[in-house]
Amino acid sequence: MADHDQARVDLCERHARHFEADDWWFLTYRGWAHGENGNVTLARELTQRALEVRRNNVNAAHAFAHVLHESGASDEAEAHITDWLPGYDRSGILHGHIAW
């Protein structure tokens, strides 16, 4: 689907009222959706909040790193990974990807 990124954002926004403000899973997914759709400012806010709520959330760590990189904050993304990655199990499914 050509507009899948916008469709994912629309889906998240349509259902956002059904989730608690600090639902770490939904914050992550909504932040990822906005980041992939180009709204890196909101994506950063959402994914960063998801990490604050649940630090061991690998998907939020991954999404936050992407958002930082996409917003031109590559040094900050590298610092985030350097800080976050040592606490993540090396056998974790995203370890290799995040370690890039």
Side-chain angles (χ1 to χ4, degrees), residues 34-97:
H34 278 283
E36 290 295 292
N37 200 42
N39 188 347
V40 293
T41 301
L42 180 56
R44 179 181 178 147
E45 177 185 319
L46 294 168
T47 56
Q48 189 167 19
R49 181 65 189 138
L51 278 171
E52 290 169 0
V53 173
R54 187 178 179 113
R55 178 163 169 79
N56 65 344
N57 179 352
V58 68
N59 290 310
H62 177 230
F64 186 57
H66 272 270
V67 167
L68 291 172
H69 178 73
E70 294 298 323
S71 67
S74 295
D75 290 344
E76 195 174 347
E78 185 176 339
H80 158 62
I81 295 300
T82 299
D83 176 61
W84 188 88
L85 192 60
Y88 183 56
D89 190 332
R90 290 182 60 86
S91 67
I93 194 165
L94 288 178
H95 190 279
H97 181 66

Side-chain angles (χ1 to χ4, degrees), residues 4-14 16 26-47 63 66-67 70:
H4 74 278
D5 289 333
Q6 183 62 53
R8 187 170 38 191
V9 165
D10 294 345
L11 179 68
C12 286
E13 295 310 314
R14 187 167 48 250
F26 189 69
L27 285 166
T28 301
Y29 192 80
R30 186 177 175 208
W32 181 257
H34 278 283
E36 290 295 292
N37 200 42
N39 188 347
V40 293
T41 301
L42 180 56
R44 179 181 178 147
E45 177 185 319
L46 294 168
T47 56
H66 272 270
V67 167
E70 294 298 323

